[in-house]
Amino acid sequence: MKSIAVILSGCGVFDGSEIHESVLTMLALSQNNAEVHYFSPNDLQPTVINHITGEEKSEKRNMMEESSRISRGKISPLSDAKAENFDAVIIPGGFGAAKNLCNFATKGSECEINKDLLRFVQAMHQQKKPLGLICIAPVMLPKMLNAPVKLTIGNDIATASAIEKMGGIHIDCPVDDIVVDEEYRVVTTPAYMLAQSIAQAQVGIEKLVKKVLEMA
């Protein structure tokens, strides 16, 4: 049985992990008999958003506590994640990927990656274990791997140009497909960067999970 680390960054599209993408990832992993372990930074979110109005709120929320709503309580701090325990890692999207796991949302191509995430992903990569990133999460790849990795966030021109500026190679991709970089062992899919429905997001995410497990 393959053991997969899923990295969450809160609960909700505007300030954490995209819930549909996270659940579709979990479902596809379960259907393919993978053992899943959840991780999140044990830190406060930089922003908390009212998901009805889109407005920022003044309250404080802890990323790991929020993520545990998605993982049904089973979660560990990202600082505890050890590459030798896993066959692959998958990171769903949502603004949490661009605000909480890194600061791409505010810094763009000058962004920095969460240090625990960087350490874990680089260790996984050094051990030639595959990485699957969904939606906006792939923007982190050029900085995480420090390499000209091929990836997709769909076809958003501004985001694609920031990726190229960081040294990545952006490939336009439809919602129902994946981009595979065999050399760097990375799989990406656009999901809600393009999806108009959960059914559309599901097709690409299922392909990504199957490919990551096949490579693991």
Side-chain angles (χ1 to χ4, degrees):
M1 187 185 269
K2 306 274 170 72
S3 185
I4 312 301
V6 172
I7 308 216
L8 301 175
S9 58
C11 181
V13 55
F14 300 124
D15 60 9
S17 289
E18 212 296 321
I19 296 169
H20 297 181
E21 291 174 0
S22 302
V23 173
L24 289 168
T25 299
M26 292 151 71
L27 177 62
L29 285 166
S30 175
Q31 287 170 331
N32 287 279
N33 300 314
E35 183 180 277
V36 184
H37 296 265
Y38 303 99
F39 294 94
S40 168
N42 187 13
D43 295 310
L44 290 178
Q45 296 176 190
T47 62
V48 175
I49 304 293
N50 176 326
H51 277 59
I52 300 169
T53 63
E55 286 167 13
E56 194 166 325
K57 302 177 76 178
S58 58
E59 66 186 75
K60 299 267 183 270
R61 293 197 183 193
N62 176 285
M63 280 179 239
M64 197 165 105
E65 273 182 37
E66 292 299 299
S67 298
S68 72
R69 294 170 179 270
I70 299 174
S71 67
R72 295 173 59 90
K74 291 192 172 94
I75 198 155
S76 304
L78 186 51
S79 55
D80 288 356
K82 291 184 172 62
E84 54 270 25
N85 297 338
F86 301 101
D87 298 301
V89 60
I90 298 179
I91 309 177
F95 269 111
K99 286 178 174 179
N100 305 349
L101 298 181
C102 72
N103 53 11
F104 181 83
T106 50
K107 295 275 178 74
S109 60
E110 300 298 306
C111 68
E112 293 149 332
I113 312 293
N114 172 287
K115 65 181 188 327
D116 292 319
L117 180 65
L118 192 61
R119 173 195 55 76
F120 179 54
V121 167
Q122 287 182 343
M124 291 290 286
H125 179 63
Q126 277 154 8
Q127 293 175 27
K128 302 209 168 354
K129 292 171 176 176
L131 316 172
L133 289 90
I134 296 165
C135 188
I136 192 68
V139 296
M140 299 187 284
L141 280 164
K143 290 270 168 109
M144 291 198 297
L145 303 189
N146 197 20
V149 57
K150 295 188 186 76
L151 62 104
T152 193
I153 47 82
N155 57 19
D156 183 76
I157 292 164
T159 311
S161 85
I163 286 165
E164 302 270 345
K165 201 170 170 187
M166 291 188 277
I169 298 166
H170 184 267
I171 294 166
D172 282 2
C173 177
V175 67
D176 60 354
D177 211 354
I178 56 175
V179 167
V180 181
D181 187 317
E182 296 283 359
E183 183 185 352
Y184 293 107
R185 300 180 65 69
V186 170
V187 188
T188 53
T189 192
Y192 275 105
M193 288 297 283
L194 292 177
Q196 300 298 308
S197 68
I198 189 169
Q200 279 192 353
Q202 189 246 347
V203 183
I205 290 173
E206 196 172 311
K207 282 184 185 173
L208 175 139
V209 167
K210 281 187 170 156
K211 185 64 184 174
V212 165
L213 289 172
E214 187 186 300
M215 291 167 90

